Amino acid sequence: MKPAGQILSDFLAGFSKFELEADIREKALICLLDTLGLAMSARNEPTTRAALGLSQRLEAGGATSWASGARLPASEAAFANGVAAHAHFQDDTDHDSWTHPGSLVPPAVVALGEMRGASLDAVLAALVAGYTTINWLGRDEVVARSLIRRGFRTSPTFGTIAAAAGSAVLLAFDARQAASAVSIAASTTGGTLEPVRSGSDEWRVQNGRAAQGGLIAACLAAEGVTGAPEALDGPKGFLATVAGLDSTPDVWATPPDPAIMRTIMAKPFATLGDNMPAAMAAHKLYQEGIDPAAVQAVEVTLWEPYTAYPGTNYKGPFERLVQTQASTAFAVATMLSRGDITYEMGETLREDPVILDLVAKTTVLPDAVGGALDSRVTLIMKDGSRREAHSSQAPREFIFLTRARCLDVFEARLSRLGAAAGSARSLGEKLFAGLGAPKGPSISDVLAEILTLTR
């Protein structure tokens, strides 16, 4: 078997030869617009403001803060934008790697693209390379599950490597340079699960630092810094020391595949990705009309690995916002009573008596048969009747964004920030229509247009 580092670096060095299919390019733009809208929506979140404040104290440079429009050095923009994109816990998901690539890859490749005057199409290709890499790192959950068992959070741990990979493609690295970028990232990455378990704030910082670290790793490689040849799967490398695996998994034997872009999932609600299937089932029940006061008990079946993830079984007292976002019971109770789960609800409804009553009545049952997208919510009513819904009854485009759904979400997010009605949709439609055009816009021009809408 080829060394894993060589397989990945050869893939990245040859990435420009890929003829990305139209739906892959479209999905890349969907992911980018979803991420940009999220980051802009988090402009007033305290951790976002803190990261931006730290960045603005440094010398201004050639990249843009998505939350404020300020000009920052590229590495600081990657950090601030990674924090902002992850701030509401609603950035997109790659299931195999258990990661949120939207707050890891776009912040790095967009900042680097601005610095180098790259086109939107070039940035989207780099985005695909980064997303494809993060999926490959966690392919079939093999390495991802091992990291989780050891207490590492997969997003920042894989994310530095993925951000470096996307940056390597944008910089048109050869295999030697790409190998160094990946190796430097693999040797400097990591993040623990403790912030999610305890409900503290630095999980946002983890993803911002991973985006920044990946960009820095690529920039160092561009300057001739050499990474360890076996940083991924050497005897003292990433697999052995971080993931605790004594041999290279078979899933790393073949190169990454850009087709995985079709499997990237959005998060329609502001809760842990593990809770999303249960939230969608509860949303169906809310739409049918229920009286929370008439509910005797709530039973939730959820994919067994999700029930073991830190924080999902927590039922209070909810002293911090992140505790509500991680809690399956809080997500289901909020959806049943409010029909939505927004970031603000985790702050304003922590002591809501209706929600807390439903939380107390909720039992989460591990399901070893269904898959990651399967959840059933059953309501046992006080009159003895039962009502239930399954996550499969929710519209598929809720999580597998279509172009139309992406434009709806982008329009809604920017409208809440003051954009004129229809302006965000119109801009998004123009960007989709221009995908693959010979002379497309620069990423800097795209960002300037988007930010202008909310000023």
Side-chain angles (χ1 to χ4, degrees):
M1 183 187 296
K2 272 187 183 181
Q6 184 180 344
I7 289 173
L8 182 54
S9 59
D10 286 346
F11 166 77
L12 297 172
F15 194 83
S16 62
K17 298 182 179 66
F18 277 103
E19 290 290 336
L20 295 179
E21 295 179 47
D23 69 318
I24 298 296
R25 293 197 305 271
E26 180 172 301
K27 185 60 179 281
L29 181 54
I30 285 172
C31 291
L32 179 59
L33 292 179
D34 189 50
T35 299
L36 290 171
L38 275 169
M40 293 172 70
S41 297
R43 58 176 53 165
N44 292 319
E45 195 282 322
T47 318
T48 299
R49 292 203 307 270
L52 180 60
L54 172 65
S55 302
Q56 286 176 322
R57 287 196 290 274
L58 302 173
E59 182 181 355
T64 306
S65 160
W66 304 340
S68 73
R71 299 292 288 174
L72 306 171
S75 65
E76 298 306 314
F79 168 65
N81 292 336
V83 171
H86 199 43
H88 285 182
F89 229 160
Q90 209 170 340
D91 38 333
D92 58 22
T93 299
D94 172 66
H95 171 68
D96 275 5
S97 60
W98 287 59
T99 64
H100 300 291
S103 55
L104 302 164
V105 176
V109 299
V110 170
L112 194 58
E114 283 192 272
M115 188 173 72
R116 296 182 61 84
S119 67
L120 171 64
D121 278 357
V123 167
L124 293 179
L127 183 152
V128 172
Y131 274 59
T132 302
T133 295
I134 208 165
N135 172 274
W136 179 82
L137 290 166
R139 184 180 278 175
D140 291 345
E141 306 176 62
V142 175
V143 182
R145 294 285 195 94
S146 184
L147 288 173
I148 292 168
R149 282 193 297 270
R150 289 168 65 85
F152 285 99
R153 190 163 172 247
T154 51
S155 280
T157 306
F158 286 145
T160 312
I161 305 170
S167 299
V169 166
L170 193 64
L171 292 169
F173 279 176
D174 60 26
R176 178 187 59 80
Q177 292 169 307
S180 284
V182 166
S183 295
I184 294 167
S187 299
T188 57
T189 195
T192 71
L193 278 166
E194 183 61 20
V196 180
R197 188 201 67 80
S198 67
S200 58
D201 289 330
E202 69 269 32
W203 50 270
R204 302 178 182 90
V205 177
Q206 290 177 337
N207 284 25
R209 291 286 284 172
Q212 181 185 49
L215 184 151
I216 289 172
C219 289
L220 290 172
E223 294 297 318
V225 178
T226 303
E230 295 181 283
L232 277 180
D233 55 356
K236 297 295 183 181
F238 176 88
L239 278 179
T241 60
V242 182
L245 298 175
D246 56 12
S247 62
T248 304
D250 291 341
V251 291
W252 279 14
T254 54
D257 182 2
I260 65 89
M261 290 299 297
R262 299 185 179 103
T263 70
I264 298 297
M265 297 181 288
K267 292 176 67 179
F269 309 114
T271 185
L272 198 69
D274 304 30
N275 299 330
M276 207 57 60
M280 291 191 295
H283 185 257
K284 176 65 174 174
L285 288 167
Y286 177 86
Q287 288 181 314
E288 293 174 355
I290 65 162
D291 176 8
V295 175
Q296 180 68 37
V298 182
E299 292 182 355
V300 180
T301 62
L302 193 64
W303 190 47
E304 189 170 27
Y306 285 167
T307 65
Y309 199 76
T312 55
N313 284 312
Y314 190 70
K315 295 178 66 173
F318 297 107
E319 299 172 341
R320 294 180 290 281
L321 184 146
V322 180
Q323 292 173 323
T324 69
Q325 291 185 304
S327 169
T328 304
F330 188 90
V332 170
T334 303
M335 185 62 75
L336 289 173
S337 64
R338 300 300 175 114
D340 197 1
I341 309 169
T342 67
Y343 177 78
E344 294 75 17
M345 288 178 181
E347 187 70 58
T348 61
L349 300 180
R350 291 206 304 255
E351 298 180 5
D352 182 85
V354 174
I355 290 176
L356 293 183
D357 180 61
L358 288 171
V359 166
K361 294 174 178 176
T362 298
T363 302
V364 179
L365 305 172
D367 180 10
V369 178
L373 297 181
D374 293 317
S375 180
R376 186 178 304 279
V377 176
T378 302
L379 305 181
I380 296 90
M381 311 304 288
K382 290 179 179 177
D383 64 5
S385 64
R386 298 170 69 91
R387 300 180 60 179
E388 65 180 35
H390 191 274
S391 52
S392 62
Q393 295 173 274
R396 182 175 172 81
E397 60 266 26
F398 264 33
I399 53 173
F400 295 103
L401 288 182
T402 60
R403 178 190 297 197
R405 170 74 178 171
C406 171
L407 290 172
D408 286 345
V409 173
F410 191 57
E411 169 72 15
R413 285 175 177 157
L414 268 63
S415 293
R416 287 194 291 270
L417 298 175
S423 61
R425 183 185 303 277
S426 176
L427 175 55
E429 288 172 345
K430 182 178 77 170
L431 295 175
F432 279 113
L435 283 175
K439 291 186 177 180
S442 70
I443 187 61
S444 296
D445 288 344
V446 170
L447 286 176
E449 279 195 86
I450 291 173
L451 288 166
T452 298
L453 297 180
T454 61
R455 288 177 183 162

